[in-house]
């Protein structure tokens, strides 16, 4: 696969880069000038609450949506219209459309779909009032009024396979929503442990797109669903190309999910949670290998980001500035992001509360914050 | 009747109110009628104490008054007279579970 390099603006000192950080005990907002050498931190927001995800509108960075929840008091949705200076609670009613139906539980018994929390917000690429929400139990909701009201897009959960979905270790969650940047109505959703689903009509109808995924424990090697997909990312320059970090295996599709093939290649472990793509160079992707599904820490206690510049199979470890001894952290699925500057910045947060940043496309790293609560999500935006 | 309600820290901060609030609740004074008024006063609390769809108490929320656990009392049953008269507070709190 030849590289595709897209021209883009150089870093300007007037640029401000903002990180929105969701953690186990609140949210934080970090900002830096465009060279991304020094950072300031604001927070915690919503202290004591879990913030699974907090994300800004790509067309209006002042608009931010945050998922605030805990086991005791349920789901709150917070919205800011001024870049995070102030937040206010908006609608938190996520009602599953009738017939609610059932899915399979861990033991194979039937369980009715029941709302637990929002894992992910995906603001629309054009309209700041339009936002999608990925829920546990797996469902996708949509708001067209800036989260003042929510309605389910029932075509996903109502797919004929819905009754056979089973939860992953973290629950039956729709954790990733990807909007095709061509604005062609195509949306992807990823569910643990059902797989990837695609809609070509703005979320009305959905179908599984998991051909080529192989998952141990599924008797049928061609199973349409049942795959524990951890994360997918779309190539902004070639939107038919997607990358996937599955429970095991790093995968790639060049036909919008119609088929997948493995690109784990020489990674030390192909288990992990995150995958992120270079904003300008097609074929350049980043993953953070984790030892296994029972040892949720990096192999040999060495925290390494791996980068491919060839679209997969060959991966280089990026270690400069990252701890290479006694590091037993995890990086969760929504906790890595890439900015669109040149050179691009890459950011990730760990379950031990550190935020690492690279301002040179991954060549070197620095810990920009430590001592935060366990990091659930990191979103970067130029403002 | 003015009813005293003590909120857990998470919810008093969420609603931006003191730990204890007073609510004007019409007769009959039941858990449901108190929660109805509480949510009317502070809409941000909808869905946090009882499920927004079923209106059932959330599993990890507990109700106490007069050193008595009222969590499993029917929501439509009258609250104790001292609570109904505003002499003792109704205490809402999160269960001691998890971390």
């Amino acid at each position: 696969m030849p590289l595709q390099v897209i021209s883009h603006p150089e870093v300007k000192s007037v640029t401000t880069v903002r990180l929105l950080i969701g953690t186990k005990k609140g949210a934080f907002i970090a900002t830096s000038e465009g060279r991304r050498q020094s950072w300031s931190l604001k927070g915690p927001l919503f202290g004591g609450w879990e913030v699974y995800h907090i994300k800004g509108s790509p067309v209006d960075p002042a608009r931010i949506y945050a998922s605030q929840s805990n086991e005791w008091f349920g789901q709150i949705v917070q919205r800011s219209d001024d870049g995070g200076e102030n937040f206010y609670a908006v609608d938190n009613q996520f009602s599953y459309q009738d017939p609610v139906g059932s899915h399979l539980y861990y033991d194979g018994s039937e369980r009715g779909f029941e709302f637990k929390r929002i894992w992910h917000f995906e603001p629309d690429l054009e309209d700041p009032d339009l936002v999608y929400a990925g829920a546990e139990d797996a469902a996708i909701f949509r708001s067209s009024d800036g989260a003042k009201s929510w309605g389910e897009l029932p075509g996903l959960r109502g797919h004929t396979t819905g009754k056979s979905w089973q939860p992953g270790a973290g629950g039956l969650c729709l954790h990733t929503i990807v909007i095709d940047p061509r604005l062609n109505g195509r949306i992807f959703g990823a569910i643990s442990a059902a797989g990837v689903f695609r809609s070509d009509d703005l979320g009305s109808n959905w179908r599984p797109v998991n051909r080529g995924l192989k998952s141990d424990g599924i008797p049928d090697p061609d199973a349409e669903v049942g795959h524990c997909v951890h994360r997918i990312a779309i190539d902004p320059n070639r939107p038919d190309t997607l990358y996937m970090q599955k429970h095991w295996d790093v995968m790639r599709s060049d036909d919008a999910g119609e088929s997948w093939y493995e690109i784990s290649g020489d990674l030390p472990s192909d288990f992990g949670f995150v995958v992120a793509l270079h904003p300008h160079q097609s074929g350049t992707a980043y993953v953070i290998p984790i030892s296994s599904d029972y040892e949720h820490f990096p192999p040999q206690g060495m925290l390494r980001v791996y980068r491919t510049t060839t679209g997969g199979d060959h991966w280089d470890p990026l270690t400069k500035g990252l701890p290479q001894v006694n590091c037993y952290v995890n990086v969760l699925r929504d906790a890595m992001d890439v900015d669109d500057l040149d050179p691009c910045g890459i950011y990730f947060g760990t379950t031990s509360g550190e935020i690492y940043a690279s301002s040179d496309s991954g060549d070197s790293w620095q810990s920009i914050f430590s001592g935060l609560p366990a990091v659930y999500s990191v979103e970067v935006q130029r403002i | 009747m003015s009813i005293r309600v003590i909120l857990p820290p998470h919810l008093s901060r969420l609603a931006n109110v003191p730990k204890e609030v007073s609510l004007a609740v019409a007769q009959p004074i039941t858990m449901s009628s108190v929660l109805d008024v509480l949510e009317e006063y502070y809409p941000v609390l909808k869905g946090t104490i009882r499920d927004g769809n079923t209106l059932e108490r959330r599993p990890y929320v507990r109700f106490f008054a007069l050193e008595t656990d009222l969590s499993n009392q029917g929501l439509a049953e009258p609250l104790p007279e001292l609570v109904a008269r505003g002499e003792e507070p109704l205490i809402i709190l999160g269960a001691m579970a998890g971390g």
Side-chain angles (χ1 to χ4, degrees), chain A residues 47-120:
Chain A
W49 292 74
E50 294 185 277
V51 177
Y52 267 53
H53 198 214
I54 173 170
K55 186 165 186 175
S57 162
V59 288
D60 179 8
R63 175 66 59 80
I64 298 172
Y65 298 99
S67 173
Q68 171 189 3
S69 70
N70 66 30
E71 291 283 346
W72 289 262
F73 305 116
Q75 179 71 51
I76 304 293
V77 178
Q78 296 278 358
R79 166 179 155 178
S80 174
D81 297 329
D82 56 10
E85 289 298 316
N86 298 281
F87 282 87
Y88 58 96
V90 282
D91 186 31
N92 63 348
Q93 289 302 111
F94 294 91
S95 300
Y96 291 4
Q97 277 202 12
D98 287 327
V100 173
S102 63
H103 62 85
L104 298 182
Y105 198 54
Y106 295 102
D107 60 2
S109 62
E110 288 188 12
R111 289 280 177 105
F113 277 92
E114 181 182 12
F115 177 79
K116 296 183 176 64
R117 59 163 52 88
I118 294 299
W119 279 64
H120 184 94

Side-chain angles (χ1 to χ4, degrees), chain A residues 333-357:
Chain A
R333 70 187 83 234
D334 239 341
M336 187 183 206
D337 201 11
V338 179
D339 71 31
D340 64 353
L341 296 175
D342 178 24
C344 75
I346 310 168
Y347 312 86
F348 69 90
T350 72
T351 51
S352 66
E354 283 206 297
I355 303 290
Y356 291 97

Side-chain angles (χ1 to χ4, degrees), chain A residues 71-363:
Chain A
E71 291 283 346
W72 289 262
F73 305 116
Q75 179 71 51
I76 304 293
V77 178
Q78 296 278 358
R79 166 179 155 178
S80 174
D81 297 329
D82 56 10
E85 289 298 316
N86 298 281
F87 282 87
Y88 58 96
V90 282
D91 186 31
N92 63 348
Q93 289 302 111
F94 294 91
S95 300
Y96 291 4
Q97 277 202 12
D98 287 327
V100 173
S102 63
H103 62 85
L104 298 182
Y105 198 54
Y106 295 102
D107 60 2
S109 62
E110 288 188 12
R111 289 280 177 105
F113 277 92
E114 181 182 12
F115 177 79
K116 296 183 176 64
R117 59 163 52 88
I118 294 299
W119 279 64
H120 184 94
F121 285 125
E122 193 64 33
D124 184 64
L125 303 179
E126 291 186 303
D127 178 1
D129 281 338
L130 177 57
V131 56
Y132 299 90
E136 176 189 358
D137 288 335
I140 186 166
F141 291 84
R142 177 182 185 273
S143 173
S144 58
D145 56 9
K148 293 176 182 171
S149 63
W150 294 97
E152 187 186 6
L153 295 173
L156 174 61
R157 208 168 44 84
H159 187 268
T160 54
T161 61
K163 58 184 179 300
S164 66
W165 298 352
Q166 283 186 282
L172 179 60
C173 52
L174 172 56
H175 51 70
T176 305
I177 299 170
V178 172
I179 302 173
D180 192 314
R182 291 170 293 195
L183 305 174
N184 54 5
R186 181 168 287 168
I187 307 172
F188 296 88
I191 298 172
S192 289
V196 180
F197 291 77
R198 192 180 96 189
S199 169
D200 293 327
D201 56 7
L202 292 171
S204 295
N205 295 284
W206 296 80
R207 64 184 175 90
V209 284
N210 298 306
R211 195 154 50 111
L213 304 186
K214 308 293 182 191
S215 300
D216 289 343
I218 300 180
D220 178 3
D222 299 315
E224 195 174 26
V225 298
H227 303 282
C228 193
V229 175
H230 284 179
R231 182 74 171 175
I232 58 172
I234 194 167
D235 183 335
N237 305 303
R238 291 179 174 166
D240 282 338
T241 295
L242 295 103
Y243 291 71
M244 173 194 295
Q245 174 65 68
K246 195 162 67 66
H247 192 83
W248 294 98
D249 303 334
V250 179
M251 309 292 291
R252 173 174 157 180
S253 170
D254 294 319
D255 53 12
E258 297 290 350
S259 62
W260 296 87
Y261 59 95
E262 187 173 1
I263 56 168
S264 307
D266 53 9
L267 287 170
S269 166
D270 60 14
F271 186 91
F273 290 92
V274 297
V275 60
L277 304 186
H278 195 289
H280 311 299
Q281 295 177 5
S282 290
T284 296
Y286 303 87
V287 296
I288 300 179
I290 297 299
S291 294
S292 71
D293 50 4
Y294 59 97
E295 291 179 323
H296 279 190
F297 47 75
Q300 293 87 49
M302 302 163 69
L303 182 56
R304 292 168 291 182
V305 177
Y306 275 75
R307 176 175 62 194
T308 179
T309 58
T310 57
D313 286 333
H314 176 66
W315 299 83
D316 292 312
L318 307 174
T319 61
K320 187 178 178 183
L322 297 176
Q324 297 304 297
V325 293
N326 299 330
C327 185
Y328 296 95
V329 302
N330 196 2
V331 181
L332 301 178
R333 70 187 83 234
D334 239 341
M336 187 183 206
D337 201 11
V338 179
D339 71 31
D340 64 353
L341 296 175
D342 178 24
C344 75
I346 310 168
Y347 312 86
F348 69 90
T350 72
T351 51
S352 66
E354 283 206 297
I355 303 290
Y356 291 97
S358 168
S359 58
D360 53 12
S361 304
D363 292 340

Side-chain angles (χ1 to χ4, degrees), chain A residues 25 44 46-49 68 70-76 78 89 92-96 114-116, chain B residues 8 10-11 13-14 44 46-49 51-53 58 60-61 92-99:
Chain A
K25 293 292 181 184
F46 329 122
W49 292 74
Q68 171 189 3
N70 66 30
E71 291 283 346
W72 289 262
F73 305 116
Q75 179 71 51
I76 304 293
Q78 296 278 358
N92 63 348
Q93 289 302 111
F94 294 91
S95 300
Y96 291 4
E114 181 182 12
F115 177 79
K116 296 183 176 64
Chain B
H10 283 84
L11 298 188
R13 289 181 62 185
L14 179 66
V44 71
K46 285 181 180 174
T48 63
I49 297 167
D51 183 274
N53 293 313
R58 292 185 55 80
Y60 292 167
V61 172
I92 300 173
L93 74 167
M96 286 277 205

